[in-house]
């Protein structure tokens, strides 16, 4: 799918998760973890975004010159299944084309720590994506962070709302760092280059 947009338009990078300390370490909140790391990299702190139910950091990524990109990092402060409203409000406020939106989210159908980048597509049962697609269409980028499938007969809802296992936590920082690198590559160098480097 080839989407043409204004190259100078800002990018909106959305980490998906649930607000509140009780959810902070959950598998479902890996999007927040990546957004937090990107905020550190641009030297910003998340602040409430006006009327939108979200926290944002504005900054720039990329080398000086034409590859430098203005970005808005966002964490919706609604719950996951209502993410679309806050994201769409930010899109309208910052005048971001849908093709310049990147959702970073957990993905059950990929092994833990593996990444897949794509543009558009279905929501694969992910309530955050479902809400976003309903609010503004599906033609936005996704950085899918693998969390694997639940063991045994554990329900998916229980699995995603549990913290990463202790063995996973040993590697989690490395994989979150890699996901942040993938987001930067996507925004600066484009989807094809980012897929070639980070899709696993």
């Amino acid at each position: 799918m080839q989407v043409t947009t204004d190259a100078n338009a800002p990018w909106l990078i959305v980490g998906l998760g649930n607000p509140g300390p009780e959810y902070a370490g959950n598998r479902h909140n890996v999007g927040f973890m990546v957004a937090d790391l990107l905020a550190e990299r641009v030297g910003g702190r998340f602040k409430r975004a006006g009327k939108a139910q979200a926290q944002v950091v504005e900054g720039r990524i990329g080398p000086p010159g034409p590859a430098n990109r203005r970005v808005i990092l966002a964490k919706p402060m609604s719950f996951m299944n209502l993410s679309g409203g806050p994201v769409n409000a930010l899109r309208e406020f910052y005048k971001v084309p849908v093709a310049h939106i990147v959702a970073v989210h957990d993905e059950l159908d990929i092994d833990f720590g593996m990444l897949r980048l794509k543009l558009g597509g279905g929501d694969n049962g992910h309530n955050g994506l479902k809400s976003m697609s309903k609010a503004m269409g599906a033609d936005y980028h996704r950085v899918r962070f693998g969390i694997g499938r639940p063991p045994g007969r554990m329900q998916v809802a229980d699995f995603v709302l549990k913290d990463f296992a202790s063995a996973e936590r040993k590697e989690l920082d490395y994989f979150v760092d890699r996901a942040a690198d993938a987001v930067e590559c996507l925004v600066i160098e484009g989807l094809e280059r980012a897929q070639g480097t980070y899709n696993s």
Side-chain angles (χ1 to χ4, degrees), residues 10-176:
W11 285 77
L12 176 59
I13 299 162
V14 181
L16 290 177
N18 285 309
E22 67 272 34
Y23 299 105
N26 289 180
R27 292 181 176 92
H28 223 18
N29 270 44
V30 74
F32 274 19
M33 298 174 197
V34 175
D36 285 338
L37 179 57
L38 286 164
E40 271 181 48
R41 290 184 180 184
V42 303
R45 282 193 163 176
F46 279 99
K47 295 188 178 74
R48 196 78 186 201
K51 292 179 181 174
Q53 203 179 354
Q55 292 184 346
V56 298
V57 169
E58 295 182 53
R60 301 193 80 88
I61 61 174
N68 193 258
R69 302 280 184 260
R70 180 180 172 221
V71 296
I72 298 100
L73 308 173
K75 296 192 296 186
M77 291 288 112
S78 59
F79 281 89
M80 179 71 87
N81 60 348
L82 300 172
S83 300
V87 175
N88 201 38
L90 292 172
R91 178 186 72 78
E92 290 176 347
F93 179 78
Y94 288 105
K95 298 180 172 51
V96 179
V98 173
H100 273 212
I101 295 174
V102 183
V104 186
H105 65 92
D106 56 308
E107 178 60 63
L108 288 158
D109 286 338
I110 304 172
D111 291 340
F112 169 67
M114 301 294 101
L115 297 175
R116 295 273 198 292
L117 284 74
K118 61 183 269 193
L119 174 62
D123 55 59
N124 204 21
H126 193 288
N127 287 331
L129 297 181
K130 195 177 295 183
S131 179
M132 283 181 61
S133 296
K134 187 177 176 186
M136 59 192 190
D139 294 335
Y140 53 89
H141 290 86
R142 299 100 189 275
V143 174
R144 304 157 73 203
F145 187 109
I147 59 169
R149 280 270 162 194
R153 295 184 177 181
M154 186 188 287
Q155 293 294 313
V156 164
D158 295 331
F159 179 69
V160 299
L161 293 175
K162 282 196 182 328
D163 287 1
F164 286 96
S166 55
E168 292 172 332
R169 283 200 295 271
K170 290 174 184 166
E171 299 181 288
L172 185 59
D173 285 352
Y174 167 77
F175 288 129
V176 167

